[in-house]
Amino acid sequence: MKNKCKRLIYINEYVSINGIEQFLFHLGTSYDNPVMLYLHGGPGSAESLLTGAFQEKWEEIYTVVHWDQRGAGKTLTQNPNKLPTIDLMLQDLYEVVQYLKKKYSKQKIVLLGHSWGSILGSLFIKKYPEDIAYYIGAAQVIDIVENEKVGYNKVKELIEQADDKRSLKKLEGIGEYPGNKIDFGKEFLKKCNVVRKLQGKYKIGLELRFSIWIAMLKSPIFNFLDIISFIKIPKANENVLKFLVNFDLCNESLEYRVPIYYVLGGCDWQAPYIIAQNYFEQINAPYKKIYIIPNAGHFLMLDQPGLFFDTLSEINKIEEKALT
């Protein structure tokens, strides 16, 4: 667990959260900086192993804390039978936030949610706005069923434009997708896997590139047990997937009590940016601003790390100015 970059703040630890030991990874350059809690995607896809691939410059303006959620990463390894539900995860998140506020002597922290993390984060800030300075939704998810419909239609359009008969045959081979209801059973997940691979091929969804695997293996906190944890993700997160079946953020109030920033990939059709953009126009918040990063897909901080950091830097300056 060497601190090769000689950061002032470099902590990897297990903390007792909601009755189990949960993993946190802290990185930063100044105790004066705001504390940002990064909520990873999935559910179950811990991103703490990828900090070296996109995060180093973030640490100039934030103390960034990655939390391997219940049912993910090193927390799953430590607690293979303590599996998540949405209620447990919201309570877990509340306790993590309280822990960080106390540890760093902060009245509030910044919350960044990526993909699935943007669902968890959005629900949390509605319930506990007093704990959050502002919220950043990256690849923000709004409506699960609509996501799949729009993303499917987009990749089909691109395949037809390219006259890619082989890919079109694969797509047509899955039949109707996603249907009016998603059940996250084996049959749907098999179809979803075909769609995701084709979205990755056409650069409009998350593609597990070789460089991502290399970044994970090079992480100073990597352990071979992390691979086993990764394999267990679908089974471990069954209850959360059931919650997601009909998730639609539009069913919640459009009123927010914290500043809201959306950072979306202009080539993201896995969580289609146009859905989040339309929703964003409807919400009310003390302050809100949206950024769409060109040539960035679902993992936009990996696709365009420089532009993503520039966006974070601007958000940080806006919030600093608001405090003066």
Side-chain angles (χ1 to χ4, degrees):
M1 308 295 188
K2 293 181 179 178
N3 182 6
K4 293 181 179 180
C5 294
K6 306 298 181 184
R7 297 170 181 83
L8 175 64
I9 301 168
Y10 184 91
I11 305 165
N12 56 87
E13 61 177 351
Y14 285 93
V15 178
S16 181
I17 298 292
N18 200 14
I20 65 173
E21 296 295 302
Q22 303 203 33
F23 181 77
L24 300 176
F25 188 29
H26 315 237
L27 295 160
T29 57
S30 171
Y31 285 99
D32 294 329
N33 285 340
V35 174
M36 171 191 283
L37 177 58
Y38 184 107
L39 301 180
H40 64 69
S45 300
E47 294 166 34
S48 53
L49 295 176
L50 293 173
T51 57
F54 63 83
Q55 188 184 285
E56 189 171 342
K57 288 185 69 65
W58 298 20
E59 297 155 25
E60 297 172 7
I61 55 177
Y62 295 104
T63 297
V64 186
V65 182
H66 283 256
W67 163 44
D68 285 13
Q69 300 161 20
R70 186 185 295 252
K74 297 180 186 298
T75 297
L76 176 57
T77 299
Q78 190 82 351
N79 308 276
N81 299 315
K82 303 293 184 180
L83 303 180
T85 65
I86 187 62
D87 290 337
L88 277 173
M89 295 186 83
L90 285 168
Q91 182 60 30
D92 289 351
L93 176 50
Y94 175 79
E95 293 192 18
V96 171
V97 168
Q98 303 312 311
Y99 172 77
L100 295 177
K101 285 169 58 181
K102 183 177 181 181
K103 183 177 184 68
Y104 291 101
S105 300
K106 304 290 185 182
Q107 291 185 340
K108 299 182 178 185
I109 68 165
V110 178
L111 201 60
L112 185 151
H114 174 230
S115 191
W116 145 255
S118 73
I119 295 176
L120 187 62
S122 295
L123 294 175
F124 183 84
I125 60 176
K126 287 180 173 295
K127 195 171 184 179
Y128 303 106
E130 66 278 2
D131 290 319
I132 303 303
Y134 54 94
Y135 169 74
I136 302 171
Q140 178 71 44
V141 178
I142 306 299
D143 180 337
I144 294 293
V145 175
E146 191 66 14
N147 270 8
E148 296 306 318
K149 287 180 179 179
V150 173
Y152 172 88
N153 289 336
K154 184 63 178 181
V155 76
K156 184 178 181 182
E157 174 191 326
L158 293 176
I159 288 170
E160 289 174 340
Q161 287 176 356
D163 195 25
D164 182 354
K165 292 182 174 59
R166 185 175 180 182
S167 292
L168 186 60
K169 186 176 180 180
K170 288 181 181 179
L171 197 63
E172 292 176 341
I174 68 175
E176 184 184 7
Y177 183 88
N180 294 322
K181 186 177 180 181
I182 296 174
D183 63 8
F184 285 108
K186 288 183 179 179
E187 190 62 31
F188 172 78
L189 291 175
K190 186 177 178 181
K191 292 180 178 182
C192 183
N193 187 49
V194 173
V195 174
R196 290 289 180 269
K197 286 182 177 179
L198 292 172
Q199 287 173 335
K201 177 180 177 179
Y202 280 85
K203 311 299 182 185
I204 62 170
L206 176 59
E207 183 183 15
L208 288 176
R209 303 183 297 269
F210 184 67
S211 59
I212 294 178
W213 293 107
I214 292 298
M216 292 172 64
L217 293 171
K218 285 185 175 181
S219 170
I221 61 170
F222 172 77
N223 186 296
F224 280 103
L225 291 175
D226 296 323
I227 297 174
I228 297 173
S229 176
F230 184 81
I231 294 169
K232 291 180 177 180
I233 287 173
K235 185 70 175 176
N237 289 274
E238 282 182 342
N239 287 326
V240 182
L241 290 173
K242 290 176 184 176
F243 163 78
L244 289 178
V245 165
N246 293 312
F247 178 80
D248 184 352
L249 196 53
C250 294
N251 292 331
E252 304 287 331
S253 168
L254 295 173
E255 302 294 324
Y256 288 86
R257 289 186 283 166
V258 301
I260 303 292
Y261 298 90
Y262 278 6
V263 188
L264 312 173
C267 296
D268 185 3
W269 294 88
Q270 183 171 325
Y273 74 94
I274 58 171
I275 299 176
Q277 189 176 25
N278 290 337
Y279 172 81
F280 186 84
E281 292 173 359
Q282 302 175 55
I283 67 172
N284 296 310
Y287 182 83
K288 66 177 187 176
K289 190 165 184 179
I290 190 168
Y291 301 84
I292 299 177
I293 297 182
N295 301 315
H298 192 61
F299 215 141
L300 55 172
M301 58 280 290
L302 273 177
D303 293 338
Q304 294 289 349
L307 292 177
F308 196 93
F309 172 73
D310 291 344
T311 301
L312 288 183
S313 184
E314 181 177 321
I315 291 170
N316 184 54
K317 288 175 183 175
I318 290 170
E319 289 296 323
E320 283 184 339
K321 187 176 181 181
L323 292 174
T324 60

